[in-house]
Protein backbone atom coordinates (compact mmCIF):
# COMPACT_ATOMS: atom_id res chain seq x y z
CA UNK A 1 0.00 0.00 0.00
CA UNK A 2 2.93 2.34 0.64
CA UNK A 3 4.14 2.23 -2.95
CA UNK A 4 0.69 3.13 -4.32
CA UNK A 5 0.42 6.17 -2.05
CA UNK A 6 3.96 7.25 -3.01
CA UNK A 7 3.04 6.91 -6.68
CA UNK A 8 -0.16 8.92 -6.10
CA UNK A 9 1.91 11.65 -4.37
CA UNK A 10 4.41 11.67 -7.23
CA UNK A 11 1.67 12.04 -9.86
CA UNK A 12 -0.12 14.73 -7.87
CA UNK A 13 3.03 16.84 -7.44
CA UNK A 14 3.26 19.99 -9.52
CA UNK A 15 6.37 18.90 -11.40
CA UNK A 16 4.80 15.82 -12.98
CA UNK A 17 1.59 17.66 -13.83
CA UNK A 18 3.48 20.65 -15.27
CA UNK A 19 5.55 18.31 -17.41
CA UNK A 20 2.45 16.52 -18.69
CA UNK A 21 0.74 19.80 -19.53
CA UNK A 22 3.92 21.05 -21.23
CA UNK A 23 4.17 17.95 -23.41
CA UNK A 24 0.51 18.18 -24.45
CA UNK A 25 0.68 21.91 -25.18
CA UNK A 26 3.99 21.41 -27.01
CA UNK A 27 2.44 18.76 -29.20
CA UNK A 28 -0.52 20.98 -30.05
CA UNK A 29 1.78 23.94 -30.68
CA UNK A 30 3.92 21.76 -32.95
CA UNK A 31 0.85 20.95 -35.03
CA UNK A 32 0.03 24.66 -35.31
CA UNK A 33 3.55 25.56 -36.39
CA UNK A 34 3.69 22.68 -38.89
CA UNK A 35 0.40 23.77 -40.41
CA UNK A 36 1.52 27.40 -40.54
CA UNK A 37 4.73 26.45 -42.32
CA UNK A 38 3.30 23.86 -44.72
CA UNK A 39 -0.06 25.53 -45.46
CA UNK A 40 0.76 29.24 -45.35
CA UNK A 41 4.46 30.07 -45.56
CA UNK A 42 5.68 27.39 -47.95
CA UNK A 43 3.02 28.03 -50.62
CA UNK A 44 3.31 31.80 -50.31
CA UNK A 45 7.07 32.22 -50.20
CA UNK A 46 8.95 29.10 -51.09
CA UNK A 47 6.97 27.49 -53.89
CA UNK A 48 7.58 30.31 -56.42
CA UNK A 49 11.27 30.37 -55.51
CA UNK A 50 11.60 26.58 -55.62
CA UNK A 51 9.79 26.31 -58.96
CA UNK A 52 12.00 29.01 -60.43
CA UNK A 53 15.09 27.15 -59.28
CA UNK A 54 13.62 23.77 -60.32
CA UNK A 55 14.28 22.30 -56.89
CA UNK A 56 10.86 20.67 -56.43
CA UNK A 57 12.42 17.25 -57.15
CA UNK A 58 14.92 17.75 -54.34
CA UNK A 59 13.69 14.74 -52.35
CA UNK A 60 14.40 12.40 -55.28
CA UNK A 61 18.10 13.26 -55.49
CA UNK A 62 20.43 10.41 -54.56
CA UNK A 63 23.93 9.18 -55.15
CA UNK A 64 24.92 6.06 -57.04
CA UNK A 65 25.23 4.27 -53.70
CA UNK A 66 21.59 4.98 -52.85
CA UNK A 67 22.21 7.78 -50.34
CA UNK A 68 19.15 10.06 -50.48
CA UNK A 69 20.85 13.38 -49.89
CA UNK A 70 17.89 15.18 -51.44
CA UNK A 71 15.61 14.09 -48.58
CA UNK A 72 18.23 15.31 -46.12
CA UNK A 73 18.47 18.70 -47.83
CA UNK A 74 14.68 18.98 -47.88
CA UNK A 75 14.57 18.16 -44.15
CA UNK A 76 17.24 20.79 -43.42
CA UNK A 77 15.32 23.44 -45.38
CA UNK A 78 12.09 22.48 -43.59
CA UNK A 79 13.83 22.67 -40.21
CA UNK A 80 15.25 26.11 -40.96
CA UNK A 81 11.85 27.44 -42.02
CA UNK A 82 10.13 26.00 -38.95
CA UNK A 83 12.87 27.29 -36.63
CA UNK A 84 12.57 30.77 -38.15
CA UNK A 85 8.79 30.78 -37.71
CA UNK A 86 9.12 29.69 -34.08
CA UNK A 87 11.75 32.41 -33.56
CA UNK A 88 9.34 35.04 -34.91
CA UNK A 89 6.50 33.75 -32.72
CA UNK A 90 8.64 33.74 -29.56
CA UNK A 91 9.93 37.20 -30.38
CA UNK A 92 6.36 38.49 -30.75
CA UNK A 93 5.30 36.88 -27.47
CA UNK A 94 8.32 38.33 -25.68
CA UNK A 95 7.57 41.81 -27.00
CA UNK A 96 4.01 41.51 -25.64
CA UNK A 97 5.38 40.45 -22.25
CA UNK A 98 7.73 43.45 -22.17
CA UNK A 99 4.80 45.80 -22.74
CA UNK A 100 2.99 44.21 -19.80
CA UNK A 101 6.07 44.53 -17.60
CA UNK A 102 6.50 48.20 -18.53
CA UNK A 103 3.52 49.11 -16.33
CA UNK A 104 4.45 51.63 -13.63
CA UNK A 105 5.85 50.09 -10.49
CA UNK A 106 4.35 50.64 -7.08
CA UNK A 107 5.84 53.56 -5.15
CA UNK A 108 8.86 52.56 -3.12
CA UNK A 109 8.54 52.42 0.63
CA UNK A 110 10.78 54.26 3.05
CA UNK A 111 14.47 53.45 2.96
CA UNK A 112 16.24 51.64 5.76
CA UNK A 113 17.85 54.88 6.91
CA UNK A 114 14.48 56.62 7.14
CA UNK A 115 13.04 53.76 9.19
CA UNK A 116 16.03 53.80 11.53
CA UNK A 117 15.71 57.57 11.92
CA UNK A 118 12.02 57.18 12.83
CA UNK A 119 12.86 54.49 15.39
CA UNK A 120 15.58 56.71 16.86
CA UNK A 121 13.17 59.65 17.11
CA UNK A 122 10.51 57.48 18.76
CA UNK A 123 13.05 56.17 21.28
CA UNK A 124 14.11 59.73 22.17
CA UNK A 125 10.55 60.55 23.24
Amino acid sequence: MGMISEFKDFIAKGNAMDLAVGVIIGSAFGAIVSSLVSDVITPALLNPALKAAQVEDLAGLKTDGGILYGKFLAAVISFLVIAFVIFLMVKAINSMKKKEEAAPAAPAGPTQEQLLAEIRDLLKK
Side-chain angles (χ1 to χ4, degrees):
M1 201 58 159
M3 183 182 289
I4 293 174
S5 64
E6 284 182 43
F7 181 68
K8 191 188 294 184
D9 291 340
F10 170 75
I11 293 298
K13 283 186 180 177
N15 293 343
M17 293 304 229
D18 290 344
L19 180 60
V21 169
V23 167
I24 292 167
I25 295 294
S27 174
F29 185 71
I32 291 170
V33 170
S34 294
S35 175
L36 176 67
V37 169
S38 64
D39 300 334
V40 177
I41 293 176
T42 300
L45 299 177
L46 295 181
N47 276 352
L50 290 176
K51 286 179 183 174
Q54 296 180 352
V55 187
E56 61 268 1
D57 295 328
L58 187 66
L61 298 176
K62 61 182 178 178
T63 63
D64 291 336
I67 297 173
L68 301 172
Y69 68 91
K71 282 188 176 182
F72 174 74
L73 291 175
V76 169
I77 291 170
S78 176
F79 169 78
L80 291 174
V81 170
I82 289 172
F84 185 69
V85 169
I86 290 174
F87 168 75
L88 292 177
M89 293 173 90
V90 169
K91 188 172 180 163
I93 291 170
N94 286 340
S95 69
M96 286 189 282
K97 284 183 182 179
K98 287 180 184 177
K99 289 178 184 175
E100 290 174 4
E101 292 173 2
T111 64
Q112 186 176 3
E113 290 80 16
Q114 292 171 338
L115 290 174
L116 289 173
E118 287 179 24
I119 293 171
R120 180 194 64 210
D121 294 342
L122 288 173
L123 289 174
K124 283 184 181 179
K125 294 180 182 179

